[in-house]
Amino acid sequence: TCDFYLWGTFKNKVYASNPHVVNELKDNIISAIESISAEELVKVNSNFIRRCQQCIGNNGGHFQHQV
């Protein structure tokens, strides 16, 4: 969840300025990471726990379409 969330959220931010050199890309990544709020991290963590509970409740089976 965290990997998908982070990449999905930051992909547009990281590539918004169309970085052409590695240092620009690194700077954009750092800036995007520093922009994460505590509230956002709490939401990500809560979602991760909920998904873990769904996985356990389905004995490790598919659960993405269940809310």
Side-chain angles (χ1 to χ4, degrees):
T1 299
C2 294
D3 290 340
F4 292 119
Y5 167 78
L6 287 176
W7 182 246
T9 298
F10 294 126
K11 183 178 176 183
N12 290 335
K13 290 181 182 181
V14 168
Y15 290 105
S17 66
N18 193 21
H20 294 289
V21 294
V22 173
N23 284 342
E24 288 177 0
L25 181 62
K26 287 180 182 180
D27 289 343
N28 289 359
I29 292 169
I30 290 168
S31 177
I33 290 171
E34 289 175 342
S35 74
I36 302 171
S37 69
E39 180 182 351
E40 195 169 13
L41 290 175
V42 168
K43 288 179 183 179
V44 169
N45 188 55
S46 296
N47 186 48
F48 177 71
I49 291 170
R50 182 182 56 81
R51 291 178 61 82
C52 287
Q53 290 168 336
Q54 287 178 328
C55 183
I56 292 166
N58 285 308
N59 296 315
H62 295 285
F63 61 90
Q64 69 265 19
H65 297 294
Q66 299 177 0
V67 179

